[in-house]
Amino acid sequence: MNRVWKTVTALADRFDEADTARGMPPEESHVLQVLKIGEEFGEAAQAVIGVKGTNPRKGTSHSWEDVHAEVADVVITGMVALARMRPDAAEYFADQLKAKAANFLPRTTA
């Protein structure tokens, strides 16, 4: 397991421990973690709106750097969600990435 997935797994374990201490069943934790992805996506969308200045009440309120940070939050939250739901998250993600990429990237004959 690489360094990124070790960190993601450590975060997942910490959140699982906190939810267990609160008496929350794993399925409920998983549902809430998936909803957290939606929350983070909303913040990324809000940052794009802020870059474009399309909210007349707020005007230009964000930078592209803000968008980048919010998109990173979406990715991290998604990775943590997967790690909370699957002990084999790193391998599962790698397999899913390979399968999805095969739909879009040219096949090579090596």
Side-chain angles (χ1 to χ4, degrees), residues 87-109:
D88 65 339
E91 296 82 13
Y92 182 81
F93 180 80
D95 291 344
Q96 288 294 305
L97 180 60
K98 182 179 178 181
K100 306 297 188 232
N103 294 326
F104 297 98
L105 298 176
R107 301 192 194 285
T108 59
T109 54

Side-chain angles (χ1 to χ4, degrees), residues 44-55 58-63 67:
Q46 184 178 26
V48 170
I49 290 167
V51 165
K52 302 306 280 177
T54 57
N55 182 335
K58 294 182 180 179
T60 303
S61 58
H62 289 76
S63 68
V67 175

Side-chain angles (χ1 to χ4, degrees), residues 36-50:
K36 183 69 175 165
I37 297 168
E39 178 187 4
E40 294 298 340
F41 167 76
E43 292 175 9
Q46 184 178 26
V48 170
I49 290 167

Side-chain angles (χ1 to χ4, degrees), residues 9-110:
T9 300
L11 288 167
D13 291 346
R14 180 164 185 170
F15 298 146
D16 284 344
E17 289 167 8
D19 287 349
T20 299
R22 288 194 298 265
M24 186 179 299
E27 185 176 294
E28 187 174 344
S29 294
H30 298 167
V31 168
L32 293 174
Q33 186 69 38
V34 171
L35 291 175
K36 183 69 175 165
I37 297 168
E39 178 187 4
E40 294 298 340
F41 167 76
E43 292 175 9
Q46 184 178 26
V48 170
I49 290 167
V51 165
K52 302 306 280 177
T54 57
N55 182 335
R57 189 171 47 83
K58 294 182 180 179
T60 303
S61 58
H62 289 76
S63 68
W64 281 109
E65 189 63 33
D66 295 325
V67 175
H68 302 166
E70 295 299 345
V71 169
D73 286 350
V74 174
V75 173
I76 293 164
T77 303
M79 292 174 78
V80 169
L82 189 59
R84 293 184 78 185
M85 291 185 271
R86 295 188 67 103
D88 65 339
E91 296 82 13
Y92 182 81
F93 180 80
D95 291 344
Q96 288 294 305
L97 180 60
K98 182 179 178 181
K100 306 297 188 232
N103 294 326
F104 297 98
L105 298 176
R107 301 192 194 285
T108 59
T109 54

